[in-house]
Amino acid sequence: MSPPAWLLALGVPGKCMEPLAAAQENQRRFKLEVARNRTVWRVRVDGCWLSSPQQKKVDYLFCVEEPSGSWKLILVELKGKDFGHALEQIRQVVEFIKAQPTFHQLGSQPIQAVVVLSNGNNVPAYQRERDRLRARHGIQVIAKSQHYTMTL
């Protein structure tokens, strides 16, 4: 199975993409549950696709093919406890993706974000920043502790 051409056109190196629906780091896990006939690609963002030290970046981008043939994009950050930093990472990656001409040629692609924290005690303190991401970029940020399985 080869990755979708639009991911390559976004500048994602082939070595950064795998047909996987899960990620794990430091006892934090994210997993996608999708029907067998749906294609999922996992992109390693931090340190593979985007490596500039000046840019904050999330850990992964999951791309799920919809029955209509369009794609759903899910940014995933596996984080310790700094939810505010995770929101900034999401913002910068979304702005980077949306600045790519190829992204706009795809039509409107829904983007979601998930932050899996070791400790989510400070999540309520960042509601304003979450609301700002939703207003500016149409992104809903889901925050969970330790493990999260998303069913699509």
Side-chain angles (χ1 to χ4, degrees):
M1 176 184 329
S2 57
W6 64 267
L7 266 176
L8 294 168
L10 276 176
V12 180
K15 68 179 182 173
C16 301
M17 295 182 265
E18 301 172 275
L20 295 174
Q24 182 171 332
E25 182 179 288
N26 297 327
Q27 300 166 352
R28 286 175 296 285
R29 287 193 314 253
F30 173 80
K31 181 180 177 187
L32 278 168
E33 288 186 351
V34 298
R36 290 181 199 250
N37 61 339
R38 293 178 73 184
T39 302
V40 177
W41 283 91
R42 181 181 83 177
V43 175
R44 283 180 293 124
V45 177
D46 189 5
C48 195
W49 177 25
L50 304 177
S51 57
S52 166
Q54 289 81 23
Q55 182 178 21
K56 291 179 173 57
K57 42 216 161 287
V58 297
D59 294 315
Y60 297 97
L61 166 65
F62 286 86
C63 307
V64 183
E65 189 171 19
E66 298 283 56
S68 66
S70 65
W71 292 83
K72 178 184 285 281
L73 307 179
I74 304 162
L75 298 170
V76 175
E77 176 62 24
L78 304 172
K79 196 76 173 163
K81 27 185 179 182
D82 192 348
F83 187 59
H85 187 252
L87 292 174
E88 181 60 21
Q89 290 170 279
I90 291 166
R91 183 189 67 76
Q92 286 195 24
V93 171
V94 166
E95 289 176 355
F96 174 81
I97 290 171
K98 286 186 170 186
Q100 305 309 304
T102 307
F103 178 76
H104 296 288
Q105 294 168 6
L106 296 170
S108 66
Q109 301 298 316
I111 300 176
Q112 288 184 289
V114 175
V115 180
V116 181
L117 300 151
S118 60
N119 178 333
N121 291 344
N122 69 352
V123 169
Y126 291 95
Q127 187 59 45
R128 188 180 304 165
E129 285 83 352
R130 287 171 88 175
D131 292 344
R132 201 173 298 135
L133 273 172
R134 181 178 290 146
R136 284 189 187 155
H137 300 290
I139 296 177
Q140 174 190 5
V141 179
I142 299 167
K144 296 293 180 176
S145 291
Q146 298 300 326
H147 315 291
Y148 182 57
T149 300
M150 178 182 271
T151 304
L152 299 175

